[in-house]
Amino acid sequence: MTEVKPLVLDVDGTFLKTDMPLETFWAGLGRDPVATLGALVRNFRRPERLKAELAAIAPLRTDLLPVNPEIADLALRSRMAGREVVFASASDRSLVERLAAEYGLSEEVFASDGEIDLKGPTKAEALVAAFGERGFDYAGDAAVDIPVWERAENALVVGRVPSARALTAQGQNVVELPGGWSPAALIRALRPHHWVKNLLLLLAMIVSLRFDLATLVPILWGIVAFSAAASAIYIVNDLLDLEADRLHPTKCRRPFASGEVPIAVGMAAFAVLGLLALGLAAAINWAFFGVVVLYMILSLAYSLKLKRMRWVDVATLSALYTIRVIAGAAAGGVAVSIYALIFLLPVFVTLGCVKRLTELTLTTDDQPLPGRGYGRQDRGDLLNVAGLGTVGALLVFFLFSISEQGRVLYPATWVLWLSMLPMWLWLVRMVMLGWNGKQDYDPIVFAMRDKLGLAILMVTLGLMFQAAGLWGKWFGV
C-alpha cells in the first residue's frame, strides 16, 4: 500500500488571503504605536524576533482572517481523505498553531519561533528533515517558496509566480491554483467616490466671489492633490481597522479586510499616493503644501487614536472638512472671511454627528460600534449636538450678514437672510435622514448624490448670488 504523503500549506497568501506579520504590525500600530515602532526599530534586521514581539503586542483574532476558499477546500478534502494537512509558515508559531487548531489541521506546525525565520531554504530543510526528500506536497504563493517546491513531490503554485515556471523545466510536477489580486480591487480601496468631498476646496472661491481662471485652475490641481492625500489616508485607515471592519456587516467587504488586496500592495500604494500629493502641493505653493501636510498629520492621528475617542472624533471630522476649505483658499490665493470658517465649523460638526447617527441607526445590536466610542444609547446626545451645530451655523451666518464685510460682499442683506431658510431646511433634512438611517455612511458623499438636497443647496446659492448682485452682473437682470 502506497503511503499517503502529507499536504503542507504555506499560510500567508496561500491558505490565508492576507499576511499575518503585516496584520500584527498594523494591529499593533492601532493598539500601541509606541511599542510597535520600538519593536520595529530594535528588530529591523531580526525578522524572527520582530514577528514574535508583534504577535505579543497585538494578538490577532485568527478566526476573522480571510481564507483562500480554493485552498481551504483543498485542505478539507485532503483531511476527509485521511491525509495529514500541515501548516509551514514564516509567521510566528503562536499564530500558526492557533490557526491550525481553528481549522482542525495537524497539531504539528512549522513556523518562525523568535530564533529562526522559517522561510525559503530554512523551511525546505525543516520539511525534508521531517518528511524526507520528495516526502510531501507543498502549496505556496511566492518566489521565496521555490526552494521548498524543488524538494517537494508536487508543487502547488497559488496565483501568478512567474519564476516558478522554471520548476516545470526541471521536471517538477506543478499544479497551478487560483490566487492573486486585481487592480480593480485596489482602485476600490482608494475610494474614488469619496473624492467628491474635495469639491469643498471650491467653497473658498465661492464665498469670496472670485470666479476667474487664475483662481480656479490651482484649486482644481489642489483637488487632485487632496484626492491623492485622502486616498493614501483611506488606505492607512483601512489597514488600522482590519479587525473592526471584519466585525462590521458591510465594511467586512472592503478590499483589505476581505483579503482582495494584499496589505503589502496597500502599503506601496500609500507611499506612492502620499508622495504624489506632497509633490503636487509643493508645485502649487508652499502655503497649500503646509495645509496638505497638516491634513495628513491630523488624518493619521484620527486613524491611529482620535476616532476611538467619544466626541473628539466628531470634532476632528469637522476640522478635517474645514481644512479642505482652507486648502482651497491657499491654493487659489484667496482670503476667506473668518465668519465663513466659523460658520462652516458647526455645519461640519452637525455632519459629523450625522455620520455617527447613521452608523448607530444601521447597527443591528446595542454593542458599541467596532473601533468607535459610541453605542445606540448615544443617539439622543448626537441628535442634540447636531441641533446645536445647526443653530450655531445659522447664528454665525446671520452675524456675518450684518457685519461690514458681509454688507460689502452681499449688499442685498434681506435676500441673504432669505437664503437662511433653505439652508436650515437642508441641515435639518440631513440630520433627520441620519437619524432614520437613510444615508450613506459619509454625509458629504451622500449630499453630493442627493438630488433633492442638491436642489435645496442650489436655491441657497442662488439667493446668495442674488444678494451679491451677481445675477445682474452676469446676465443683466
Side-chain angles (χ1 to χ4, degrees):
M1 180 177 177
T2 304
E3 181 183 359
V4 178
K5 296 179 179 180
L7 171 63
V8 180
L9 302 177
D10 178 43
V11 173
D12 304 307
T14 301
F15 184 80
L16 295 178
K17 295 170 68 177
T18 188
D19 183 285
M20 288 200 291
L22 291 179
E23 290 265 352
T24 55
F25 172 74
W26 286 98
L29 279 182
R31 296 180 191 181
D32 193 339
V34 174
T36 300
L37 294 176
L40 180 63
V41 171
R42 286 192 307 273
N43 302 296
F44 188 73
R45 296 183 180 276
R46 300 179 62 197
E48 65 282 355
R49 287 298 309 153
L50 177 60
K51 293 170 187 176
E53 289 194 27
L54 291 178
I57 293 170
L60 297 178
R61 281 196 56 177
T62 50
D63 60 311
L64 296 177
L65 299 177
V67 174
N68 185 331
E70 287 81 7
I71 305 304
D73 182 63
L74 173 63
L76 177 61
R77 287 187 282 106
S78 298
R79 284 178 53 223
M80 292 178 65
R83 189 179 189 187
E84 184 180 19
V85 181
V86 180
F87 278 150
S89 172
S91 291
D92 188 69
R93 176 174 291 275
S94 62
L95 298 173
V96 179
E97 288 179 339
R98 195 184 319 153
L99 190 70
E102 284 167 355
Y103 287 93
L105 304 186
S106 173
E107 293 182 359
E108 180 183 17
V109 301
F110 299 82
S112 299
D113 59 6
E115 299 297 331
I116 297 175
D117 187 25
L118 197 81
K119 63 190 301 185
T122 305
K123 182 189 288 188
E125 292 295 339
L127 293 175
V128 169
F131 304 119
E133 198 79 38
R134 308 286 181 182
F136 58 95
D137 293 341
Y138 178 75
D141 70 300
V144 72
D145 293 311
I146 288 179
V148 189
W149 281 322
E150 289 176 337
R151 305 183 72 175
E153 176 70 15
N154 295 292
L156 284 67
V157 180
V158 179
R160 289 185 68 256
V161 186
S163 55
R165 295 170 185 165
L167 295 170
T168 304
Q170 296 172 11
Q172 177 65 281
N173 182 36
V174 176
V175 179
E176 295 185 355
L177 298 171
W181 59 279
S182 71
L186 176 60
I187 292 173
R188 189 157 54 87
L190 305 185
R191 303 190 208 176
H193 61 288
H194 280 245
W195 293 345
V196 70
K197 290 188 290 188
N198 297 318
L199 293 176
L200 289 172
L201 273 75
L202 293 170
L203 280 180
M205 183 179 72
I206 293 172
V207 299
S208 301
L209 305 179
R210 288 271 300 274
F211 302 102
D212 56 82
L213 285 178
T215 302
L216 177 61
V217 171
I219 291 178
L220 292 178
W221 279 112
I223 289 173
V224 175
F226 245 78
S227 297
S231 289
I233 300 302
Y234 292 147
I235 289 173
V236 172
N237 184 71
D238 285 356
L239 295 179
L240 289 167
D241 267 358
L242 289 170
E243 183 174 305
D245 284 351
R246 287 166 184 153
L247 292 168
H248 194 278
T250 58
K251 293 180 182 180
C252 62
R253 294 191 287 273
R254 286 179 171 174
F256 298 114
S258 65
E260 285 186 85
V261 180
I263 294 175
V265 172
M267 293 169 69
F270 161 73
V272 170
L273 289 166
L275 290 173
L276 174 63
L278 294 174
L280 281 174
I284 293 171
N285 62 58
W286 290 110
F288 181 72
F289 177 84
V291 178
V292 171
V293 171
L294 174 63
Y295 168 79
M296 295 184 74
I297 291 173
L298 185 58
S299 296
L300 286 172
Y302 176 77
S303 296
L304 285 167
K305 184 69 175 178
L306 301 182
K307 68 182 178 183
R308 297 172 179 82
M309 300 172 67
R310 192 168 176 262
W311 301 115
V312 173
D313 79 312
V314 170
T316 307
L317 280 173
S318 63
L320 290 171
Y321 291 141
T322 306
I323 285 174
R324 285 176 165 89
V325 181
I326 298 172
V334 299
V336 178
S337 165
I338 188 65
Y339 279 105
L341 295 178
I342 297 174
F343 160 72
L344 289 171
L345 194 59
V347 169
F348 293 142
V349 166
T350 298
L351 296 180
C353 290
V354 168
K355 180 179 176 71
R356 293 292 171 249
L357 277 173
T358 301
E359 292 176 336
L360 290 171
T361 301
L362 295 177
T363 190
T364 56
D365 55 48
D366 292 329
Q367 297 298 315
L369 292 172
R372 302 294 185 270
Y374 300 91
R376 289 179 67 89
Q377 71 277 6
D378 295 310
R379 291 178 75 237
D381 290 340
L382 285 164
L383 181 64
N384 291 335
V385 174
L388 289 173
T390 300
V391 172
L394 294 173
L395 177 60
V396 173
F397 190 85
F398 174 77
L399 293 175
F400 167 71
S401 71
I402 61 176
S403 70
E404 181 178 353
Q405 185 180 29
R407 290 182 181 277
V408 170
L409 288 174
Y410 300 93
T413 306
W414 71 272
V415 179
L416 198 60
W417 290 344
L418 190 60
S419 71
M420 293 173 64
L421 181 60
M423 189 185 302
W424 168 82
L425 178 62
W426 184 82
L427 286 168
V428 170
R429 182 172 180 273
M430 289 291 288
V431 172
M432 296 315 299
L433 287 172
W435 176 263
N436 292 315
K438 295 182 178 180
Q439 275 206 36
D440 193 293
Y441 283 104
D442 192 299
I444 300 293
V445 174
F446 173 82
M448 297 297 183
R449 297 174 173 175
D450 176 30
K451 294 180 180 179
L452 178 56
L454 285 173
I456 296 172
L457 288 176
M458 290 302 103
V459 171
T460 305
L461 282 176
L463 289 170
M464 290 178 66
F465 289 166
Q466 179 63 33
L470 293 180
W471 293 127
K473 179 179 178 181
W474 291 342
F475 304 109
V477 296

